[in-house]
Amino acid sequence: MKRFGRWVRVFAEKLPGWPKASDVALGVYFPYLATEYWKGEWVDRIVNLRDRYWFDGIARLLLLNQFNFRFIDIGRAVDVGRLLKSADQQSLWVFSIERMDADTQRRLVAFAAAGGKLFFGPFFPDKDLSGRACPILRDALGVRSITTLDESCAQIGPVQGWFDGKLIHAGASKTQTLIRSAGGKSVAWKKTLGRGHVVFCGVPLQHTFDPAIDAIRILADALNLTSRCRAKADGDLPLVWRGTDSEGVLLAANYHDRPLTARIGLSQPGFQTDELVLPPRKSYFFPVGVEIRPGMRVSATGEVLDIATKKNETVLTFDFPGGQNSISLTGNVRRVEASSGRLTRRKAGRWRIDFGKTSCEEDRRDVRIRVL
């Protein structure tokens, strides 16, 4: 907490102007959430399914694939144009059960038909909230039958994954199968609707086993989605970008009880690391393109804990992870010195500071980088 407080003092003025970036939109449907004052078997079922397949399922799995999201209330009477404009990359991910009111179903159909990219599942809504038949979404997608399979195992790429719930088969024509059950039935597909595309996934995705992470990637690829952040690591590594297209901070959070070896990238603004070793249960805010004094900006794989500026020099205090760290500086820089670590100049404006994979973590804290 003390270390985090030091970081906050450095970025206190800039942080409010750096919004969290999102790659996709998560649809919020109020009837699935407003359960605090209801009682009964049906309400208990909603809470159970929502917590497992939305909170611990779709939302978590998107983050583990480096897709950050924001929320859109799909139950409001907003026009389709505003919904399209609000959804990041025109991609809207909706957790659904069998019941959904008619207006919301129409809104989702219109969203996709107007050019949006719609995902929904794991259940296919074909009833209204009172349980009466309401096949608006079903008819628009030409679904002939909806069957709950006596299967819980699906083929996810080259491996089979087991899921905590039965798979749903929605039979429709002109679909592209994305995931099949172990028995060969289509349980996730893509279909063109108007100018847009719809992906239905009847797999009860929950982050119990790792194939669920790969399943989300298959579904996102089918909608041609890209994420601003990317990581190649030997474990799950959520990344969050908070900033603009020119400056901000990239959060890398290792919540594991072991070190993670990772290479991390950011598409906009451009940022690419060498191999880093992130300590267990520790996170870093990497500065990217951040102005530290007039005419000078810094990008680095360490967390800035202090900036001291004098007339002819600036001293940056960093907390670095292990591995091959980097520092990039723009502006009039004559020389760079480091209080610890092996510092080498790679090319104009870029230095490498190597601590090795097994160096003591204390050696990487409060490392002073003197910029002359």
Side-chain angles (χ1 to χ4, degrees):
M1 290 301 295
K2 183 178 180 180
R3 180 179 68 93
F4 180 67
R6 294 170 66 188
W7 178 85
V8 169
R9 282 194 294 272
V10 173
F11 292 98
E13 294 184 5
K14 291 181 175 290
L15 199 56
W18 289 339
K20 176 188 172 184
S22 53
D23 305 298
V24 300
L26 272 186
V28 175
Y29 187 48
F30 189 70
Y32 296 167
L33 294 176
T35 56
E36 292 85 354
Y37 304 106
W38 297 0
K39 289 184 178 180
E41 182 179 345
W42 187 67
V43 177
D44 293 341
R45 180 173 182 266
I46 290 178
V47 172
N48 180 39
L49 297 177
R50 178 197 69 198
D51 291 355
R52 289 159 60 196
Y53 303 143
W54 189 28
F55 298 162
D56 294 340
I58 296 170
R60 179 186 292 181
L61 293 167
L62 282 169
L63 289 177
L64 292 176
N65 277 282
Q66 287 85 48
F67 285 102
N68 286 284
F69 53 76
R70 61 191 179 90
F71 297 101
I72 291 180
D73 186 349
I74 62 171
R76 289 187 177 182
V78 297
D79 61 83
V80 175
R82 286 176 58 194
L83 196 60
L84 276 168
K85 187 176 180 181
S86 299
D88 297 90
Q89 298 184 10
Q90 287 77 52
S91 170
L92 179 61
W93 293 64
V94 176
F95 161 78
S96 60
I97 61 173
E98 300 91 341
R99 299 188 183 191
M100 181 181 288
D101 70 89
D103 285 343
T104 302
Q105 288 192 43
R106 291 191 190 96
R107 195 170 296 117
L108 295 181
V109 169
F111 167 79
K117 301 174 183 178
L118 173 65
F119 166 95
F120 72 98
F123 298 94
F124 203 112
D126 63 346
K127 299 180 179 64
D128 65 14
L129 294 176
S130 298
R132 296 185 294 264
C134 184
I136 295 170
L137 193 56
R138 177 173 176 169
D139 290 347
L141 292 170
V143 172
R144 301 181 302 272
S145 63
I146 301 172
T147 307
T148 300
L149 304 178
D150 190 22
E151 295 186 70
S152 299
C153 182
Q155 190 71 35
I156 310 297
V159 302
Q160 290 187 342
W162 291 88
F163 296 91
D164 184 20
K166 299 299 183 181
L167 308 180
I168 304 295
H169 167 70
S173 61
K174 298 181 180 179
T175 61
Q176 174 191 346
T177 298
L178 304 175
I179 298 175
R180 294 185 182 275
S181 71
K185 287 283 190 178
S186 173
V187 290
W189 45 251
K190 173 184 176 181
K191 184 168 184 174
T192 300
L193 180 62
R195 298 197 305 273
H197 300 282
V198 176
V199 165
F200 167 70
C201 178
V203 181
L205 295 173
Q206 183 183 20
H207 187 216
T208 305
F209 302 107
D210 285 345
I213 302 175
D214 297 328
I216 285 287
R217 175 58 64 176
I218 291 171
L219 302 172
D221 287 345
L223 291 174
N224 296 318
L225 302 184
T226 58
S227 56
R228 181 190 292 251
C229 307
R230 58 188 181 276
K232 185 177 181 181
D234 59 353
D236 304 328
L237 182 61
L239 302 172
V240 177
W241 171 250
R242 191 178 182 95
T244 66
D245 287 342
S246 59
E247 72 167 356
V249 287
L250 177 62
L251 169 65
N254 178 13
Y255 59 81
H256 296 276
D257 288 321
R258 63 175 179 85
L260 280 187
T261 301
R263 291 178 182 267
I264 297 169
L266 186 66
S267 61
Q268 187 66 31
F271 179 73
Q272 180 68 47
T273 76
D274 291 322
E275 190 172 272
L276 302 175
V277 182
L278 305 175
R281 291 192 175 271
K282 189 171 181 178
S283 62
Y284 290 89
F285 288 97
F286 298 146
V288 181
V290 177
E291 187 175 50
I292 55 175
R293 73 182 189 195
M296 181 176 290
R297 293 181 179 272
V298 63
S299 298
T301 56
E303 200 164 72
V304 181
L305 303 181
D306 187 55
I307 301 176
T309 301
K310 298 180 181 178
K311 184 177 180 180
N312 297 320
E313 71 174 31
T314 297
V315 178
L316 304 172
T317 303
F318 281 96
D319 182 350
F320 286 106
Q324 303 164 351
N325 286 270
S326 63
I327 303 170
S328 297
L329 295 163
T330 62
N332 186 19
V333 179
R334 294 182 288 110
R335 191 169 77 252
V336 174
E337 301 172 352
S339 62
S340 64
R342 189 168 69 251
L343 183 70
T344 56
R345 183 165 184 167
R346 301 186 66 180
K347 57 182 179 180
R350 186 175 174 85
W351 288 260
R352 173 170 158 174
I353 181 167
D354 199 336
F355 291 95
K357 295 184 178 181
T358 59
S359 61
C360 179
E361 188 174 353
E362 282 73 15
D363 297 338
R364 308 191 303 265
R365 295 175 182 171
D366 290 321
V367 178
R368 291 179 298 280
I369 304 296
R370 188 179 177 212
V371 183
L372 301 168

